[in-house]
Amino acid sequence: MSDLVNIPQHIAIVMDGNGRWASKRLLPHNAGHRAGAQNLRTLSEAVEKLGVAHLTVYALSTENWSRPEKEVQGLIKLMHEYFQQYIDDSKKNNMRMSFIGDISRFEPDLQQKIETLRTLTRNKTGLHVTLAINYGGRDELVRAARKLAQDAANGTVDPAHINEEALVRRLDGFPTPYPDLLIRTGGEKRISNFLLWQLAYAEMYFSDVLFPDFGVKDLQAALDWYGGRSRRFGGR
Ligand code: IPE
Ligand code: IPE
Ligand code: MG
C-alpha cells in the first residue's frame, strides 16, 4: 500500500470533529459520533495494511462527561454496540484491543464487554488498537502517583529509588511504546489532555478534515509528512 520507508511504529489520533460533521448536516451530535466510530473501523484496516504496529485513539475524555446527558448516553450506547461488533469480529480479525483510561467509571456490563474484548484478543498478532475511554492524561498520572504512594506505604517501593521507569510502569498503556506520530483531526491545535507523558517526543500533525471524513488519502498525507521529519530527541 505504501512505499514509505519511514513508517511510524505507533500512531495516536485525537478523533475530533464528529459534532461539527453532524451539525453541518443538521443531524444530532450522536450521528457524528456514529459516523466517527464507523470511520475508525475503516481507518484501522488501512493502518494495519501500512505496517503500523500500534494505534491509540482518543474516544472519550475525562472532560467529555460535562457534555449534555443525551450526548453522553449516546456515546455509551455507541460503545456497547461497537464493542459487541468488535467481539463478534474477533473470530475472523487479527486485531488486538486494549483500553486506557479509568474503566471503573463505566456501568458493569460495559466493563464486562471491555474485559471480554481484552481477553478474546490478547494473543492476536495484527494491529494493536488501544481505545482511550474516560481517559485524561492528568488523571492517568494521578492514578500512577497513587499506585506509587501505595507501594511506598506497603514497603514494596523505596521512595529514594523512584525514577522515570517506576512511574512509567504504572501508566495505563505500559508497555506499549510511545506514539511516534500524533494526528489531530478537526482543525484544533491542542492536546486536550491526551497522553501528556507519552507524547513528549511525538511528531504532531494537525488536519482540518473532520474525523468522519478523514480517509485513507488523508492518512497517507499524514504519513508522507511524517516521513520527512527529522527526529532528534534533544540530540544534535
Ligand atoms: C470528538 O468529536 C469525539 C468526542 C469528543 C467524543 P466532537 O464531538 O468533539 O466534535 P466537535 O469538536 O464538536 O466537532
Ligand atoms: C478531545 O476532543 C477528546 C476526544 C476526541 C475524545 P474535545 O472536542 O473534547 O476537545 P476540546 O474540548 O476541543 O479541547
Ligand atoms: Mg471536539
Side-chain angles (χ1 to χ4, degrees):
M1 190 163 184
S2 170
D3 53 4
L4 287 176
V5 272
N6 193 11
I7 292 280
Q9 189 188 9
H10 183 173
I11 299 178
I13 307 181
V14 179
M15 307 187 290
D16 196 25
N18 294 347
R20 278 161 286 164
W21 184 93
S23 296
K24 269 178 33 182
R25 289 161 177 77
L26 307 177
L27 294 169
H29 287 135
N30 282 319
H33 295 316
R34 181 168 288 280
Q38 192 52 42
N39 190 42
L40 174 61
R41 286 170 68 89
T42 314
L43 219 50
S44 306
E45 280 174 28
V47 167
E48 179 154 38
K49 283 190 190 130
L50 284 162
V52 173
H54 309 275
L55 174 68
T56 299
V57 294
Y58 206 4
L60 185 78
S61 77
T62 47
E63 288 73 30
N64 288 149
W65 298 97
S66 68
R67 294 190 178 195
E69 178 68 14
K70 204 171 161 205
E71 183 175 354
V72 171
Q73 284 314 316
L75 282 162
I76 302 276
K77 189 166 162 263
L78 202 59
M79 282 193 262
H80 268 289
E81 199 181 302
Y82 270 80
F83 294 173
Q84 188 57 52
Q85 276 192 34
Y86 280 117
I87 289 171
D88 298 342
D89 285 355
S90 71
K91 292 180 195 85
K92 52 181 188 341
N93 269 6
N94 202 21
M95 236 181 251
R96 176 157 68 100
M97 307 266 308
S98 299
F99 295 82
I100 56 171
D102 185 0
I103 300 304
S104 69
R105 168 123 187 214
F106 295 108
E107 50 203 62
D109 52 342
L110 192 60
Q111 289 189 45
Q112 187 54 53
K113 277 203 173 113
I114 290 166
E115 273 321 307
T116 304
L117 255 179
R118 263 193 187 131
T119 313
L120 277 175
T121 67
R122 182 167 288 152
N123 298 316
K124 301 276 190 183
T125 54
L127 179 67
H128 175 213
V129 178
T130 300
L131 294 177
I133 50 173
N134 187 26
Y135 177 86
R138 289 176 180 168
D139 180 64
E140 179 187 38
L141 288 165
V142 167
R143 286 185 289 105
R146 191 181 301 134
K147 286 176 211 160
L148 264 181
Q150 277 160 354
D151 289 342
N154 68 31
T156 54
V157 161
D158 174 357
H161 291 139
I162 291 176
N163 54 14
E164 283 193 12
E165 200 205 329
L167 186 79
V168 166
R169 297 184 78 85
R170 291 166 176 83
L171 295 177
D172 292 347
F174 181 81
T176 305
Y178 300 149
D180 304 294
L181 169 64
L182 173 81
I183 298 173
R184 181 169 184 144
T185 64
E188 309 294 355
K189 294 176 178 64
R190 53 180 175 248
I191 300 289
S192 299
N193 204 10
F194 195 36
L195 302 174
L196 295 180
W197 175 285
Q198 297 87 339
L199 292 175
Y201 273 101
E203 301 296 323
M204 307 271 191
Y205 183 85
F206 298 98
S207 167
D208 287 335
V209 178
L210 305 174
F211 185 71
D213 290 330
F214 192 84
V216 178
K217 275 206 184 87
D218 302 302
L219 174 69
Q220 191 62 61
L223 288 176
D224 288 345
W225 174 86
Y226 176 84
R229 298 298 98 205
S230 157
R231 303 186 75 191
R232 288 183 287 281
F233 299 97
R236 179 58 66 202

